[in-house]
Amino acid sequence: MAVPQGLQPSVKMYVAALTLAGAGCAWWAAQEPVALPGGIFALTLALAFLTALRTVRIPALRSSFTASDAFVFFTLAAGGTLAALLAALASLAGATLREARATHPARLLFNASALAVSTAMAGAAFRGLGAAAGGPLEELLVPLMLAVAVFFLVNTAAVAGVVALRSGTPWARTWLGHFGWTVTSFASAFALAVALVAAASAGWFWLAVLGLPPAALFAAAYERRAAQLRAQPEAAAQETP
C-alpha cells in the first residue's frame, strides 16, 4: 500500500501509529528463539523470497495465490514467531522486487510494520492455545489455523484502514470490497503450510522441497494458459466489425 507525501494528517498519524506498533511487535517477536535447524531455516527464507516473485491468478476465485505465505505460516509452526517474521520480511523483499518499479520508502516501512504486527498477533494466538513451535502436527493444526486467521484479519484490516482514510470510504466497505475475497489465498497457503509441517515432522522436508520446481513449472503453465483464455474475448471483440 503506497503511502506518498502530502497525505492528510489522519493518514500520517495512522501510519506513524502502525510503525510504532510494528517496532514493538518486532521486539516482542525477537524474544522467541528460532526453533528450526539452520539449514532448513535458511532454505525457507530463500523460498519465501523466491516464491514471492511470482503470483498465480485464479480467475474463478478472483484471487492471486503466492506460495510465500505458506512458508511464513510453516516457519511460525516449526520455528516460532521470530522465524515467521523474518520469512514474512523475505517475502516482502521478493514482492517488492516483483513490482519492477521504484518503491517509496514509506510504503516499505508501512508494509513491514503491517507484517510485524500481523505476525506477532498470529504468534500470540498460536502460543495462546498452548502450541509450541516444532511440536507434533496434531497439536499444531488448530493453533496454526487460528494463527492464519488472525494474520489474515490483522494484515488486511491494517491495509484497509489506510485505504479507507485516504478514500473517505467506510472501513467495513473497504475491507469487504478489496480484501474479503483474499481469504481463498490465505486458505491455500494454510493448506500448503500444513503439508510442509507434515513433511518436516516426518523428516521429508527436503524431499518435499524438491517437488517445488515441478509445481512452479505447472503454475507458470497455468498462468500462461489463463492469460491466453483471457485474451481470446478481447481479440474477438477487436475483430468484430
Side-chain angles (χ1 to χ4, degrees):
M1 177 64 230
V3 186
Q5 296 178 349
L7 294 178
Q8 55 267 47
S10 60
V11 177
K12 293 181 178 179
M13 291 178 61
Y14 179 87
V15 173
L18 185 66
T19 301
L20 290 175
C25 287
W27 177 86
W28 179 82
Q31 308 309 304
E32 181 181 357
V34 175
L36 275 170
I40 292 180
F41 182 52
L43 177 60
T44 304
L45 293 181
L47 289 171
F49 172 81
L50 292 173
T51 53
L53 294 173
R54 185 174 181 83
T55 60
V56 177
R57 178 72 178 169
I58 307 176
L61 298 178
R62 296 180 59 218
S63 179
S64 295
F65 173 72
T66 174
S68 61
D69 287 334
F71 290 105
V72 175
F73 303 145
F74 163 73
T75 53
L76 176 60
T81 308
L82 177 59
L85 176 56
L86 294 175
L89 293 177
S91 174
L92 174 60
T96 302
L97 184 61
R98 183 184 71 221
E99 294 182 357
R101 60 184 175 86
T103 302
H104 196 286
R107 178 182 183 181
L108 283 176
L109 181 61
F110 176 86
N111 288 339
S113 300
L115 283 175
V117 173
S118 305
T119 306
M121 295 296 290
F126 181 77
R127 294 165 61 180
L129 289 184
L137 177 60
E138 58 271 17
E139 297 179 4
L140 301 179
L141 190 58
V142 173
L144 182 59
M145 185 183 300
L146 175 62
V148 171
V150 170
F151 185 97
F152 163 70
L153 291 173
V154 174
N155 189 260
T156 55
V159 180
V162 76
V163 173
L165 286 174
R166 291 182 61 194
S167 64
T169 306
W171 178 88
R173 184 185 303 173
T174 300
W175 188 88
L176 290 173
H178 292 273
F179 304 102
W181 57 268
T182 61
V183 66
T184 56
S185 176
F186 282 88
S188 301
F190 167 74
L192 181 53
V194 170
L196 290 172
V197 171
S201 299
W204 297 343
F205 181 80
W206 297 96
L207 183 61
V209 168
L210 291 177
L212 288 176
L217 292 175
F218 175 81
Y222 172 88
E223 180 65 19
R224 286 195 298 270
R225 179 58 179 163
Q228 292 172 356
L229 293 175
R230 290 195 298 267
Q232 287 177 359
E234 299 176 1
Q238 293 176 355
E239 294 175 0
T240 301

